[in-house]
Amino acid sequence: MTTFVLVHGAFSCAAHWGPVARGLALRGHRAVAVDLPGHGLDARVPVGDHATAPSGMVGRSTAGDVAAVLEVLRAAREHGPVVLVGHSRGGLTITACANAAPELVDHLVYVSAWCCAAGGPSAYQGIPEAASDLDHLLPRLVVTDPAALGAIRVAWIQDAPRLLTDLQGALLADGSRDQLLAMLRAMDDDETLAIDEDAVRVHPAAWGRVPHTYVRLTADRVMPVALQDRFVADADAAVPDNPFRVVDIPTSHLGVQVHPDPLVERLVGLLAG
């Protein structure tokens, strides 16, 4: 039986995959959502002064994320094929896993996710396609100097109605305010600064052996469609004999998890060929 292994993005956790995992299970498929190190129940909640309390993400790295996911992949692979799914920044993690152990993955799925082939993530920052609603939101969310803290710390819920409205438009324009607040309350405060630029970049000899699908979220204002298309084009240029299969879902960045059925249908559709 196929197992879908679901990897979350920045500041997120396995809980956000709950509706998708439930949808897959109710259709008769195995699904497991992974909490990356320092996230979910493994997160250290800042205690005391929110701006200065030590961060549990200090010292966390790409290597730790990859090790955690590979452990799950090895266990799942004993029971049949594995589809590895990454959302948003989770794309970096699934790329690194496929680079490290392509034999453990039967299909990669990027859901409006980072897939860096023409360089590491820094090569894509600042390019015109990357301009998004997040650019003006992050400075309003970050509560302290990341360099001093050793991690990125944000305050998702503030007494700032305008900020909440802007977050709604950027992250979940096709959801309700209650759904947004529920998602934000489940977000972690901290995220690691450390990314291994080479590990998360497509290695054609390994990553290129694994079939891969890109799920474009066409109403995404955090990961613009132009950037999603750039990821696909660069990967196809790097691995021309194994191009992306591309499918579209007309939803927002977080809408794919609040309204899971379209993604579940596409994931199940992969098994039919």
Side-chain angles (χ1 to χ4, degrees):
M1 179 182 292
T2 297
T3 301
F4 293 89
V5 177
L6 311 172
V7 180
H8 63 78
F11 301 99
S12 189
C13 64
H16 284 141
W17 281 114
V20 173
R22 181 170 61 248
L24 289 168
L26 292 176
R27 287 165 174 79
H29 303 287
R30 290 161 46 93
V32 56
V34 181
D35 271 325
L36 296 178
H39 290 278
L41 295 180
D42 191 34
R44 179 192 295 175
V45 179
V47 177
D49 185 342
H50 193 241
T52 61
S55 173
M57 296 306 296
V58 174
R60 304 288 187 179
S61 66
T62 300
D65 292 346
V66 171
V69 176
L70 289 182
E71 182 179 1
V72 174
L73 294 178
R74 292 188 185 98
R77 200 69 172 77
E78 294 182 5
H79 304 286
V82 173
V83 177
L84 181 58
V85 185
H87 176 243
S88 195
R89 180 168 161 166
L92 300 179
T93 304
I94 70 171
T95 297
C97 288
N99 286 337
E103 70 280 2
L104 296 179
V105 185
D106 294 276
H107 205 111
L108 288 164
V109 181
Y110 293 78
V111 183
S112 193
W114 284 77
C115 181
C116 304
S122 62
Y124 290 87
Q125 294 172 352
I127 65 174
E129 296 95 325
S132 77
D133 285 12
L134 201 60
D135 295 340
H136 70 274
L137 282 173
L138 269 180
R140 298 155 66 189
L141 293 167
V142 175
V143 298
T144 191
D145 177 15
L149 184 67
I152 306 171
R153 174 166 294 163
V154 300
W156 290 108
I157 300 178
Q158 305 176 25
D159 185 16
R162 178 64 184 178
L163 175 60
L164 196 58
T165 297
D166 290 346
L167 280 170
Q168 183 89 55
L171 294 171
L172 191 59
D174 51 350
S176 69
R177 183 56 55 89
D178 285 341
Q179 288 171 329
L180 175 70
L181 289 172
M183 294 290 286
L184 294 179
R185 289 192 182 103
M187 300 284 270
D188 292 329
D189 293 332
D190 293 1
E191 185 55 77
T192 181
L193 284 169
I195 297 176
D196 184 330
E197 292 264 329
D198 181 64
V200 303
R201 176 182 180 176
V202 164
H203 296 176
W207 183 93
R209 293 161 47 189
V210 184
H212 37 270
T213 294
Y214 202 99
V215 180
R216 294 166 78 246
L217 303 185
T218 58
D220 196 332
R221 293 165 58 180
V222 170
M223 190 79 70
V225 173
L227 182 59
Q228 298 176 56
D229 289 342
R230 175 68 179 269
F231 289 144
V232 170
D234 287 351
D236 287 354
V239 188
D241 294 333
N242 185 15
F244 263 114
R245 173 187 177 186
V246 179
V247 297
D248 289 353
I249 299 177
T251 191
S252 62
H253 195 66
L254 297 182
V256 73
Q257 293 171 325
V258 172
H259 311 294
D261 286 350
L263 178 58
V264 170
E265 291 169 3
R266 285 158 177 79
L267 292 175
V268 171
L270 293 176
L271 305 183

